[in-house]
Structure formats: C-alpha cells, structure tokens
Amino acid sequence: MILTTTPTIEGHSIKEYKGIVTSRAVFGANAFKDMFAGIRDIVGGRVNSYEKVFMKAQETAMENISQEAMQRGANAIVGIHIDYENIGSMLMVAVSGTAVTI
C-alpha cells in the first residue's frame, strides 16, 4: 500500500478512485503525563510521553485507513491529511485520504 500526502504518485497513473477513507484514533492521557507536561511547559523541553501517545494514535489511524482502502480494492491512498486535536485529557488524530488503484 502506497501512502502519500500528494495528490498523485510520480511514475504512476491513477486508474480508479475508490473513495475517501477516514479514521480517528483517540487516546487518553493520564494525570501523571499531564503533571509532567506542565512541568516541561515551565522549564522547557520535549514531552516524550505525549509524543509517544500521538505517534501511537497516528500509527493506528494510518493502519485503519490502509485496511479500509484494501477492503475497497485500492492499492494506494493519495492526498492524505493528518489532523491532531487535544480534547481535554484525550489526544485525537484524524486521518483522511483518497483510496485509489494505480
């Protein structure tokens, strides 16, 4: 499965559009992560615990759209858009793209 944020794939022509695929992955962040994130906000630096949660959410959402695209008979997804949201103590990653065959 080829995944790309671009609308086309260089060297390939799109033979058929299979439709839009979307996924949202929501992960909770616990009180300890929130506390340490607050400390990092004060003293500066990266918040690795949140980065790991965002990465896991993104991986999950990407896997979900890949599975949906395969079920539709696609072998690529073009025009992928990734959006990140913080909803209270939860982190959400929304991913969408167009499933195609090349």
Side-chain angles (χ1 to χ4, degrees):
M1 176 74 57
I2 297 173
L3 307 172
T4 180
T5 58
T6 60
T8 60
I9 301 170
E10 188 174 339
H12 299 278
S13 60
I14 294 174
K15 296 177 183 170
E16 187 176 2
Y17 289 86
K18 300 289 189 172
I20 297 169
V21 288
T22 63
S23 177
R24 287 166 191 80
V26 179
F27 284 73
N30 65 34
F32 290 112
K33 287 181 184 175
D34 289 342
M35 180 180 69
F36 289 118
I39 293 169
R40 291 283 183 161
D41 284 344
I42 294 168
V43 298
R46 294 173 65 170
V47 183
N48 290 330
S49 59
Y50 272 105
E51 287 179 1
K52 289 177 185 175
V53 172
F54 270 115
M55 287 301 295
K56 180 62 177 166
Q58 180 178 323
E59 288 170 9
T60 299
M62 294 294 282
E63 288 171 10
N64 290 344
I65 66 168
S66 294
Q67 289 174 0
E68 184 180 344
M70 282 190 281
Q71 290 173 353
R72 295 182 186 197
N75 60 2
I77 303 173
V78 296
I80 292 175
H81 176 77
I82 304 169
D83 188 32
Y84 301 91
E85 295 290 332
N86 186 349
I87 306 167
S89 63
M90 295 182 293
L91 306 171
M92 180 183 78
V93 176
V95 177
S96 63
T98 303
V100 299
T101 56
I102 54 172

